[in-house]
Amino acid sequence: MAYDYDLFVIGAGSGGVRASRLAAMTGAKVLVAEEHRVGGTCVIRGCVPKKFMVYASEYSKAFETARGYGWTVPETTFDWPRFLMAKDNEIARLSGIYVRNLQNAGAELVHGKARLVDAHTVEVEGRGRVTADKILVATGGRPWMPADLPGVEHAITSNEAFHLEQLPKRVVVVGGGYIALEFACIFNGLGVDTTVVHRGPNVLRGFDDDIRSHVAEEMEAAGVKVRLGTQIGRIEKSATGLVAHCIDGHALEADVVMFAVGRVPYTDDLGLQNAGVALTETGAVKVDDYSRSSVDNIWAVGDVTDRINLTPVAIREGAAFAQTVFYDNPTTFDHDMVASAVFTQPQVGSVGLSEADARHKHGKVDIYLSKFRPMKETFYGGHQRALIKLVVEQGTEKILGCHVVGPDAGEIIQMAAIALKMGVTKTQWDSTCAVHPTLAEELVTMREKYTPPALGAVA
């Protein structure tokens, strides 16, 4: 049967664009549908604009540090509207690059919602029906909010946080994951009275426990109020803004209440059931190691599959799909030892297993841990502390996890990830000569195994 296109891609985010470009470069006829802006969550309303906001918010501490190093810093002010304009201009430029890259590769782009009619037919708003031999779903995820929470209509998600007309004076951030904490640190750094509310006993679920507690402590030391073990029961408008009522009886006044309590795969109203595509309990597209769905000619990559929800992972999955399907080179992406960074203040870099997961999977492990004030802080009397931790399998000496909290942790962990991916042992790690004076040198100078203080002892 002759089809209109060799490949139809739903979603022009990082994974969809990479797959589309590589497929089109083989001469395949490719059509990409995007209902919003090209670039997806990461470029338009995620990693990239958020990192610009992180940069902006870090200057308040930088001014303080400068004074400690002898600089005379006059009174500073922050122009939120000017920052937003510059941020939006840069996002538009980056989105344009994605469009040009698609066009240069020979792919066709259409703006509009796409829905599957059957396994080979797609209905596109503003375009009508087209047929395709192969279909790739790369629609990513979206923020989740509790629809039945009284007053939730007064709250925002991370999507709206990028476009607030005014910088609030008071904000309540609901959630304990990396998005919630990153935004809390951003608002705090910009001078906003910031409170985090999280129902769990600690933040950053899924990360190493020492990292979790350390980040919470450092955020509180920097001025963020962290309320754990409770949650918002209702939100109401007041004469001066909003009031977020916690179930423990506390009432938090705010100008903005932001929910960052998780993201869900964006599979709503895509017509996947029309084609027989199986979904998981969380609504993600079920795929095999090659990103193929339950329907032979339909694949899915990125956050819509809910494997590891990171932009570089979506890109690698998209590339593996193209290699497998259009280059006759069956390729899978190895989801083991994928590093991640959390751009809180201080930053978190993590790769491999947490201590708890390592003990569960490998039995006996040795821990190397150090907490200290970085050199830059000690000079002027700063109080921010760094933490570094290695999790090592006993017997084999293989490093199972590396965790860093401190300045440039995201940069440091990228290099550490290479070594852990190659199966480095602690002996090999220690044979590396330190780069002095740096924070990262502490990673290769830890020789003493860490013994936690006895229960009830003062650490």
Side-chain angles (χ1 to χ4, degrees):
M1 177 179 176
Y3 297 102
D4 298 326
Y5 293 91
D6 299 307
L7 173 66
F8 189 103
V9 180
I10 307 177
S14 299
V17 167
R18 178 58 60 89
S20 302
R21 289 177 59 201
L22 291 175
M25 289 168 64
T26 67
K29 192 175 182 182
V30 179
L31 178 61
V32 185
E34 172 57 55
E35 64 181 271
H36 187 51
R37 295 174 65 186
V38 175
T41 295
C42 180
V43 174
I44 306 302
R45 52 192 175 278
C47 328
V48 174
K50 182 178 62 184
K51 191 68 179 290
F52 291 142
M53 295 174 79
V54 169
Y55 287 143
S57 67
E58 287 176 337
Y59 278 100
S60 56
K61 180 171 173 57
F63 293 136
E64 174 191 340
T65 304
R67 293 186 183 98
Y69 275 83
W71 287 88
T72 299
V73 181
E75 182 180 357
T76 60
T77 59
F78 178 68
D79 190 332
W80 174 253
R82 190 174 73 172
F83 166 77
L84 285 187
M85 183 180 298
K87 181 264 294 180
D88 290 343
N89 287 340
E90 179 62 8
I91 297 307
R93 185 186 72 85
L94 294 173
S95 180
I97 290 174
Y98 271 61
V99 172
R100 288 195 297 276
N101 286 343
L102 277 173
Q103 293 171 339
N104 290 340
E108 185 180 344
L109 174 66
V110 60
H111 288 277
K113 175 83 173 184
R115 300 177 181 85
L116 295 180
V117 177
D118 57 43
H120 290 281
T121 309
V122 186
E123 181 89 36
V124 186
E125 290 179 355
R127 176 67 178 263
R129 293 189 176 187
V130 298
T131 59
D133 183 20
K134 298 173 178 64
I135 294 172
L136 175 67
V137 181
T139 47
R142 59 174 177 81
W144 180 84
M145 291 182 73
D148 57 349
L149 180 77
V152 73
E153 68 273 11
H154 302 308
I156 67 168
T157 69
S158 57
N159 286 354
E160 294 77 38
F162 293 113
H163 304 286
L164 292 172
E165 292 184 4
Q166 295 180 330
L167 186 65
K169 290 184 172 60
R170 306 160 300 173
V171 64
V172 171
V173 180
V174 186
Y178 71 93
I179 296 175
L181 299 194
E182 287 174 337
F183 271 101
C185 289
I186 287 167
F187 284 124
N188 181 63
L190 295 177
V192 179
D193 184 334
T194 305
T195 302
V196 171
V197 176
H198 178 49
R199 66 180 182 178
N202 208 344
V203 297
L204 291 178
R205 182 170 62 88
F207 284 79
D208 184 90
D209 286 339
D210 284 314
I211 274 62
R212 300 172 71 188
S213 57
H214 188 79
V215 169
E217 290 168 5
E218 290 300 302
M219 286 179 61
E220 288 193 296
V224 178
K225 295 181 280 292
V226 180
R227 300 187 59 82
L228 300 174
T230 189
Q231 56 187 316
I232 304 300
R234 61 188 173 91
I235 303 169
E236 65 178 8
K237 269 188 168 295
S238 69
T240 58
L242 300 172
V243 180
H245 294 272
C246 297
I247 60 173
D248 62 5
H250 286 86
L252 306 174
E253 295 186 355
D255 303 304
V256 169
V257 176
M258 173 183 160
F259 272 79
V261 289
R263 293 175 64 85
V264 294
Y266 182 34
T267 51
D268 299 344
D269 197 26
L270 294 182
L272 296 175
Q273 69 280 2
N274 298 331
V277 175
L279 303 179
T280 68
E281 291 182 359
T282 61
V285 179
K286 278 187 180 180
V287 293
D288 64 13
D289 291 342
Y290 292 90
S291 296
R292 189 193 295 265
S293 79
S294 58
V295 180
D296 282 348
N297 70 298
I298 299 177
W299 288 259
V301 298
D303 291 8
V304 75
T305 66
D306 201 20
R307 287 176 282 184
I308 297 179
N309 298 336
L310 296 172
T311 295
V313 172
I315 291 172
R316 294 291 295 273
E317 289 172 354
F321 156 79
Q323 287 291 328
T324 300
V325 179
F326 290 93
Y327 288 79
D328 195 25
N329 178 30
T331 304
T332 61
F333 173 66
D334 182 7
H335 292 80
D336 187 41
M337 286 295 178
V338 174
S340 63
V342 181
F343 295 103
T344 44
Q345 297 169 37
Q347 291 182 19
V348 178
S350 180
V351 62
L353 299 177
S354 67
E355 178 180 344
D357 286 343
R359 291 189 188 281
H360 177 71
K361 295 180 179 180
H362 295 268
K364 294 183 178 180
V365 297
D366 292 324
I367 302 300
Y368 298 82
L369 184 147
S370 178
K371 295 182 182 181
F372 56 94
R373 282 194 301 160
M375 180 179 178
K376 190 175 184 179
E377 294 284 309
T378 60
F379 179 84
Y380 76 99
H383 299 289
Q384 191 176 89
R385 298 173 304 154
L387 179 150
I388 56 176
K389 180 175 183 177
L390 295 177
V391 181
V392 181
E393 185 178 31
Q394 286 189 10
T396 67
E397 284 284 289
K398 183 178 179 180
I399 300 181
L400 302 175
C402 177
H403 311 281
V404 181
V405 183
D408 301 315
E411 305 290 344
I412 293 169
I413 208 66
Q414 178 68 83
M415 294 297 101
I418 298 173
L420 265 68
K421 187 72 173 179
M422 297 177 69
V424 68
T425 65
K426 184 65 163 60
T427 300
Q428 293 168 328
W429 185 274
D430 291 345
S431 70
T432 304
C433 187
V435 179
H436 181 74
T438 66
L439 181 146
E441 71 177 297
E442 300 290 337
L443 282 169
V444 296
T445 57
M446 289 191 293
R447 300 292 188 268
E448 299 296 324
K449 297 174 185 177
Y450 174 71
T451 303
L455 187 65
V458 178

